[in-house]
Amino acid sequence: MFWLFISLLAIQVIAAEVPQANDKWLEPARSRLMENKQGLPFFPHRANTPNNVLLKVADFDDAQVCGACHTEIYRQWRTSMMAHSWEEPIYRALLRHASEATEGRVDNFCTGCHTPIGLTTGQINSQINRASVELTAQQNPMPGVDCETCHNISARTGLDNGAYVLSPRAHGKPTKFGPRSDAVSPYHDTVYSDLHTRSDFCATCHNVTHPFSSVAVERTYDEWLESPYSFNGENCQSCHMPSFAGKAATMGPDRADVASHWFTGANAAVLEYLGQKEAAQRARENLARAAQISFESMPDYLAPGEKATVRVKVANVGAGHKLPTGFPEGREIWIDFRAVDGAGREFYRLGAIRDGATEPDTRNFKVHLGDKDGKELDIEVWNATQILSDNRILPKGYDIREFSFEVPRDAVTPITLTAELNYWPFSQRLVDYLLGKDQLKVEITRMTQVTGQIGLSLSATKLETSALDHPAGF
């Protein structure tokens, strides 16, 4: 009976993977799912299990058990944001606010991608979601996105909101799905899964649709799907799980292409806070590879007392999705532009931090969500009904921003212009609101910068000097 179910499910998934007109991510059609609650046993999350029953906690091993054989892979994963996805303090603070504001309606929705095992074993409820990280770690410990989560996924039923099928013990004993057709283990059965080699595996949690308003909150997978990377055969795993030569398991064969499990992204701030310093540094290096900044146009000379305009180009050269991507309330990239004269006097700046946020009119790259009245949402994403604007940079794309300023009449040559491209995963203002002031210092990561010098116009300087030496009427 079980294998009949799996066969039928496989047919459904294969059919779902065939693109249909105007059916980009509604696999199966969302309207049918919303009407059939048996099809969504963890509503509004889209996770499924065999026969859609609650799984047993005993069906899953602790990741440390996996680490006994997969030593290097476990070591890498343990430092990642995946490993900390349930106990990460910013997420948990937001979850508490969302749970209270919606009277628990989003509890399953948020949790199903931050602790899939916690959701599908029925350990999640509003009390748990609203508790502190410290309390749940002591009384209700649950894994984040761990070995057992990803390698027990047997299929997907869609491309967003956690549309995975979690199938532990598929053969009556521990069964792991993975990208090797020749893998053998004395502890568990190993089943080859083509899904684990493709980006749509990641799509299940890295496309997020608002469960009630259907607004596209996050679309990291779709951003990749419509990019040159997708067309050229470079998938999510190419960047976030690059291969290395070694052993996947201590007793396994030497391989030239073991998938790394650092899952390096961009969140250096939280990784540093969690004490994962090496992982934080990898995130900084990842950000440095993602973008380039340059002066698109600069005047040959600047004239004291006159207005000047400089254009700055920012290019997405290394990210296979929009820059930035993910969590819309927080992710922000911006240009911090400064003009300093030869005496070291800064006479113009735009892009500074004021009261825990980028100052007004900062040239930034960000998506802005709004509620039904068009009000921008900083925190209350659960009220989102629309995208107000999205000026993030497409993969292999670029944007050009202008900076206009007046050169002081007493400026000293030369003028040094600096444009820094900065990133933070959320503003200090947001973190102070969620955790309390001074609880977590948000790192501003400098991705890259460009500096140039421009001389002052000698003719303009001489003209001003002449006018001062010989006032009108004398």
Side-chain angles (χ1 to χ4, degrees):
M1 184 67 183
F2 176 79
W3 285 110
L4 175 61
F5 169 79
I6 290 296
S7 299
L8 291 173
L9 180 60
I11 293 172
Q12 176 187 6
V13 171
I14 291 171
E17 291 174 355
V18 178
Q20 303 293 324
N22 300 318
D23 209 24
K24 185 174 182 180
W25 44 72
L26 307 186
E27 308 177 36
R30 188 179 305 280
S31 58
R32 295 203 311 273
L33 282 173
M34 296 293 280
E35 293 170 2
N36 178 16
K37 296 300 173 62
Q38 290 183 343
L40 290 175
F42 305 101
F43 179 84
H45 199 268
R46 296 182 66 180
N48 291 108
T49 65
N51 298 318
N52 282 343
V53 298
L54 278 179
L55 301 173
K56 299 176 182 178
V57 175
D59 289 340
F60 301 95
D61 285 324
D62 187 281
Q64 288 183 331
V65 174
C66 307
C69 289
H70 302 280
T71 309
E72 176 59 20
I73 287 176
Y74 172 79
R75 184 185 73 84
Q76 295 174 4
W77 165 83
R78 193 69 191 90
T79 68
S80 70
M81 287 299 298
M82 293 286 198
H84 296 91
S85 60
W86 167 242
E87 61 196 27
E88 191 268 292
I90 304 300
Y91 159 70
R92 289 290 292 279
L94 276 166
L95 177 61
R96 175 173 58 82
H97 281 280
S99 178
E100 292 173 348
T102 64
E103 298 181 343
R105 288 197 306 155
V106 299
D107 282 2
N108 284 354
F109 180 76
C110 298
T111 308
C113 281
H114 282 261
T115 175
I117 291 174
L119 174 73
T120 55
T121 55
Q123 298 180 73
I124 292 302
N125 57 48
S126 294
Q127 182 179 358
I128 297 297
N129 283 348
R130 298 174 193 179
S132 68
V133 173
E134 294 75 19
L135 184 64
T136 56
Q138 294 173 359
Q139 300 182 8
N140 307 91
M142 288 181 288
V145 179
D146 65 348
C147 320
E148 291 283 73
T149 296
C150 291
H151 291 285
N152 276 301
I153 290 177
S154 59
R156 66 171 182 82
T157 61
L159 287 172
D160 68 350
N161 293 5
Y164 52 75
V165 181
L166 205 56
S167 306
R169 305 186 68 84
H171 293 176
K173 65 177 182 176
T175 305
K176 302 294 173 275
F177 299 85
R180 300 287 183 190
S181 59
D182 63 343
V184 178
S185 169
Y187 178 70
H188 58 75
D189 280 356
T190 304
V191 178
Y192 171 71
S193 168
D194 184 61
L195 177 61
H196 283 68
T197 71
R198 307 193 310 256
S199 290
D200 53 311
F201 179 86
C202 311
T204 56
C205 280
H206 290 279
N207 266 358
V208 179
T209 304
H210 194 291
F212 307 118
S213 70
S214 293
V215 67
V217 178
E218 298 179 30
R219 278 292 178 271
T220 301
Y221 169 78
D222 288 338
E223 293 163 13
W224 165 85
L225 184 64
E226 297 172 355
S227 77
Y229 293 87
S230 171
F231 300 143
N232 292 327
E234 298 177 77
N235 59 16
C236 304
Q237 293 90 331
S238 300
C239 289
H240 297 284
M241 302 183 71
S243 61
F244 66 95
K247 293 178 179 289
T250 54
M251 295 178 291
D254 289 319
R255 298 185 186 274
D257 57 347
V258 179
S260 65
H261 284 61
W262 301 116
F263 298 108
T264 300
N267 203 339
V270 167
L271 287 167
E272 188 73 33
Y273 175 81
L274 294 171
Q276 303 295 347
K277 294 186 178 297
E278 291 183 6
Q281 183 57 29
R282 283 191 292 272
R284 296 182 191 106
E285 293 168 359
N286 203 38
L287 283 166
R289 290 189 295 266
Q292 289 179 349
I293 190 169
S294 59
F295 292 119
E296 179 69 7
S297 65
M298 288 176 57
D300 294 330
Y301 295 97
L302 297 178
E306 295 186 7
K307 189 174 182 179
T309 298
V310 174
R311 302 172 77 213
V312 176
K313 177 180 178 180
V314 178
N316 179 352
V317 297
H321 42 66
K322 287 184 179 180
L323 201 61
T325 193
F327 177 60
E329 304 98 301
R331 309 292 190 251
E332 182 181 15
I333 289 174
W334 73 97
I335 303 169
D336 188 354
F337 184 93
R338 296 180 176 91
V340 179
D341 76 358
R345 177 178 53 167
E346 180 180 284
F347 61 87
Y348 177 80
R349 184 179 183 184
L350 182 60
I353 302 302
R354 312 285 186 200
D355 300 321
T358 50
E359 64 182 322
D361 205 33
T362 291
R363 309 305 197 249
N364 67 356
F365 306 96
K366 194 177 186 301
V367 60
H368 299 267
L369 299 178
D371 65 12
K372 61 182 177 58
D373 299 318
K375 175 187 175 184
E376 183 173 353
L377 300 172
D378 288 331
I379 296 173
E380 299 172 340
V381 65
W382 49 89
N383 289 330
T385 63
Q386 58 183 307
I387 296 174
L388 300 177
S389 65
D390 182 357
N391 64 0
R392 295 172 299 164
I393 307 174
L394 293 170
K396 300 296 185 183
Y398 66 89
D399 199 352
I400 296 174
R401 301 298 180 87
E402 286 190 350
F403 296 86
S404 296
F405 52 91
E406 185 173 306
V407 181
R409 291 183 177 277
D410 58 350
V412 178
T413 194
I415 304 300
T416 300
L417 304 179
T418 302
E420 295 180 359
L421 191 65
N422 291 331
Y423 169 86
W424 58 12
F426 23 68
S427 70
Q428 189 66 56
R429 180 186 297 171
L430 174 64
V431 172
D432 289 348
Y433 173 80
L434 292 173
L435 302 182
K437 191 171 177 58
D438 300 326
Q439 294 302 302
L440 189 158
K441 175 66 174 176
V442 180
E443 174 182 315
I444 298 173
T445 303
R446 180 193 297 171
M447 300 174 67
T448 184
Q449 71 172 28
V450 62
T451 300
Q453 285 190 336
I454 308 179
L456 292 174
S457 170
L458 295 178
S459 59
T461 304
K462 289 179 179 178
L463 182 61
E464 287 190 15
T465 303
S466 176
L468 291 173
D469 290 343
H470 304 285
F474 290 88

